[in-house]
């Protein structure tokens, strides 16, 4: 739920809503009021009026800023005024399901049907959903192409396309599928692209497939959430589990822990359970049903800790996650932003802790370049000093080459920096 605005404007029909004045139809304002959406986020404030006008929109904002409703609200309003089909492409099954749930809340009042097409789920229910002629299709790229090539989707009727988390789709290797879908659609469609980062490959796609898009950037590409506290531990690989045990004992709220590989995720989840914590895991070896159960259990509090590979770095809309732990630094530097963006969402305070081994100096440097800040280095008081790099080692870890744009680390491992 979004915080209620202290000063709200009067909307049609006696409804008070901060969404008033954005060109949103009174009927949708009523729905927003009913579900307690009172104050638009910055990305919604800027993107909704442009999208309602039918413009192509590129929306860049960090995760947890309300991008889904920034396209869902104008999408529903425009579909209510003219015939057509809207398609939303998302990189992961979990994100597609989450978008479908959010869109259905708005679509239901307009008697619009939706279809959620994702890999790993049975085809028959999806085929039946498409036979009911949905106004909105939310899909992962591969499964959308399956239905498109089987002629179950009337591609000529698609007049609105949303690419959500577009950079993640490219990271996951979906560029050929996305381009194939774009080439089969009419060029008269409205296209909206939302993401936290915007690499060169997306820029190429924008120039080729979008019509004079309006660029809306709430924060520079790679910016982390405003209410996020970040820490870095430089720790030997063999001491990681001991440090993790101490950190998990220190915090008592929900924890999202990221691992690089599915094999390690399973092994570490088992170790965490042996420590006495309620823990679930989510990665590509798990079936769709198992991943749903783990995510729902994490949302409900049945599991306090969720161990995940980067499949969960985007689209996991769980409020009030107290802590994100990067047990392994991500292989793709941009995934750091998406991982830590799972906490500190919608105005809440959040914390992210990353473990780096002494040989990961360049990985840390690349992350800091992306987020435009230096990660404060911490030392846990309950871990023996010999398990961490000694102060001079930390200083060496921080001694980036001249011209890198970063200062040298000063102090004894407690996160104080000074630029030279």
């Amino acid at each position: 739920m979004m915080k209620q605005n202290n000063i709200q404007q009067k909307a049609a029909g006696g409804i008070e809503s901060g969404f008033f004045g954005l060109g949103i139809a009174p009927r949708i304002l009523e729905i927003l009021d009913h579900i307690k959406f009172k104050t638009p986020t910055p990305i919604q404030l800027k993107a909704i009026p442009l999208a309602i006008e039918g413009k192509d929109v590129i929306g860049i904002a960090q995760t947890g800023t309300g991008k889904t409703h920034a396209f869902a609200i104008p999408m529903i309003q425009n579909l209510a005024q003219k015939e057509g089909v809207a398609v939303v492409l998302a990189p992961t099954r979990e994100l597609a399901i989450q978008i479908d749930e959010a869109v259905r809340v708005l679509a239901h009042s307009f008697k619009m049907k939706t279809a959620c097409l994702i890999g790993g789920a049975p085809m028959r229910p999806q085929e039946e959903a498409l036979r009911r002629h949905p106004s909105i299709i939310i899909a992962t790229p591969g499964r959308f192409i399956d239905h498109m090539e089987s002629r179950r989707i009337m591609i000529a009727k698609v007049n609105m396309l949303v690419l959500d988390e577009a950079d993640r789709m490219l990271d996951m290797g979906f560029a050929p599928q996305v381009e194939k879908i774009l080439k089969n659609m009419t060029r008269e469609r409205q296209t909206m692209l939302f993401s936290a980062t915007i690499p060169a490959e997306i820029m190429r796609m924008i120039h080729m497939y979008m019509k004079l898009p309006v660029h809306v950037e709430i924060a520079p590409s790679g910016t982390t959430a405003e209410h996020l506290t970040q820490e870095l531990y430089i720790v030997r690989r063999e001491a990681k589990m001991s440090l993790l045990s101490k950190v998990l004992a220190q915090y008592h709220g929900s924890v999202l822990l990221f691992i690089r590989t599915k094999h390690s995720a399973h092994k570490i989840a088992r170790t965490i359970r042996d420590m006495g914590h309620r823990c679930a895991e989510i990665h590509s070896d798990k079936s769709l049903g198992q991943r749903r159960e783990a995510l729902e259990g994490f949302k409900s509090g049945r599991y306090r800790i969720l161990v995940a590979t980067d499949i969960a770095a985007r689209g996991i809309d769980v409020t009030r996650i107290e802590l994100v732990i990067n047990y392994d630094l991500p292989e793709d530097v941009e995934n750091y932003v998406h991982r830590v963006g799972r906490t500190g969402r919608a105005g809440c305070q959040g914390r992210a802790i990353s473990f780096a081994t002494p040989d990961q100096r360049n990985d840390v440097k690349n992350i800091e370049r992306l987020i435009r800040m230096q990660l404060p280095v911490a030392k846990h008081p309950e871990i023996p000093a010999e398990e961490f790099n000694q102060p001079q080692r930390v200083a060496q870890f921080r001694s980036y080459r001249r011209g890198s744009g970063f200062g040298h680390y000063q102090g004894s491992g407690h996160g104080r920096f000074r630029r030279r």
Side-chain angles (χ1 to χ4, degrees), residues 263-279:
H263 173 74
S264 295
H266 178 69
K267 181 179 177 181
I268 289 171
R270 186 174 60 220
T271 303
I272 290 172
R273 283 191 284 268
D274 289 343
M275 293 176 188
H277 300 289
R278 303 185 312 278
C279 177

Side-chain angles (χ1 to χ4, degrees), residues 105-295:
V105 173
L106 300 174
H108 178 75
S109 295
F110 290 86
K111 293 185 167 44
M112 293 180 189
K113 300 182 182 68
T114 70
C116 187
L117 315 177
I118 56 176
M123 290 288 281
R124 188 175 295 277
Q126 296 178 13
E127 292 169 1
E128 292 173 355
L130 290 172
R131 278 195 287 269
R132 292 194 289 269
H133 304 293
S135 299
I136 302 159
I137 298 171
I138 298 102
T140 49
R143 184 52 62 94
F144 184 89
I145 289 175
D146 290 341
H147 289 288
M148 182 180 76
E149 292 181 339
S150 298
R151 301 185 182 279
R152 287 187 284 269
I153 296 172
M154 299 298 292
I155 199 75
K157 291 188 176 182
V158 176
N159 56 11
M160 192 179 305
L161 172 67
V162 176
L163 301 174
D164 195 20
E165 305 290 12
D167 53 350
R168 179 63 171 154
M169 277 193 272
L170 301 190
D171 291 343
M172 294 176 68
F174 287 131
Q177 290 94 325
V178 172
E179 293 220 42
K180 185 173 186 177
I181 293 167
L182 288 165
K183 287 176 181 176
N184 278 276
M185 288 185 176
T186 173
R187 295 191 66 86
E188 300 309 309
R189 70 181 182 275
Q190 178 185 12
T191 305
M192 292 182 275
L193 182 150
F194 289 84
S195 188
T197 61
I198 185 160
E201 177 65 15
I202 287 184
M203 290 303 299
R204 185 193 67 80
M205 204 172 285
I206 287 167
H207 291 308
M208 188 170 293
Y209 296 106
M210 296 182 77
K211 308 187 304 291
L212 299 173
V214 181
H215 194 108
V216 176
E217 188 165 353
I218 301 307
S221 181
T223 303
T224 52
E226 181 182 358
H227 302 283
L228 177 65
T229 300
Q230 301 173 77
E231 288 181 293
L232 173 69
Y233 286 89
I234 304 169
V235 60
R236 294 186 178 92
R237 193 176 308 276
E238 58 270 21
K240 272 187 172 185
M241 189 56 68
S242 177
L243 175 59
L244 177 64
S245 174
K246 300 297 184 184
V247 170
L248 291 179
Q250 181 180 349
Y251 295 91
H252 305 288
S254 57
V255 178
L256 181 55
L257 189 147
F258 283 105
I259 307 292
R260 274 197 181 188
T261 69
K262 57 190 178 184
H263 173 74
S264 295
H266 178 69
K267 181 179 177 181
I268 289 171
R270 186 174 60 220
T271 303
I272 290 172
R273 283 191 284 268
D274 289 343
M275 293 176 188
H277 300 289
R278 303 185 312 278
C279 177
E281 56 193 278
I282 180 169
H283 48 76
S284 60
D285 262 3
K286 295 294 183 180
S287 68
L288 181 60
Q290 289 172 322
R291 286 155 64 173
R292 279 180 174 171
E293 190 277 332
L295 185 56

Side-chain angles (χ1 to χ4, degrees), residues 77-89:
Q77 181 158 324
N78 291 346
L79 286 172
Q81 296 170 356
K82 60 182 179 183
E83 289 187 3
V85 175
V87 171
V88 182
L89 295 180

Side-chain angles (χ1 to χ4, degrees), residues 94-105:
E94 287 77 16
L95 180 55
I97 292 168
Q98 174 190 309
I99 293 169
D100 183 53
E101 291 171 350
V103 168
R104 273 193 280 121
V105 173

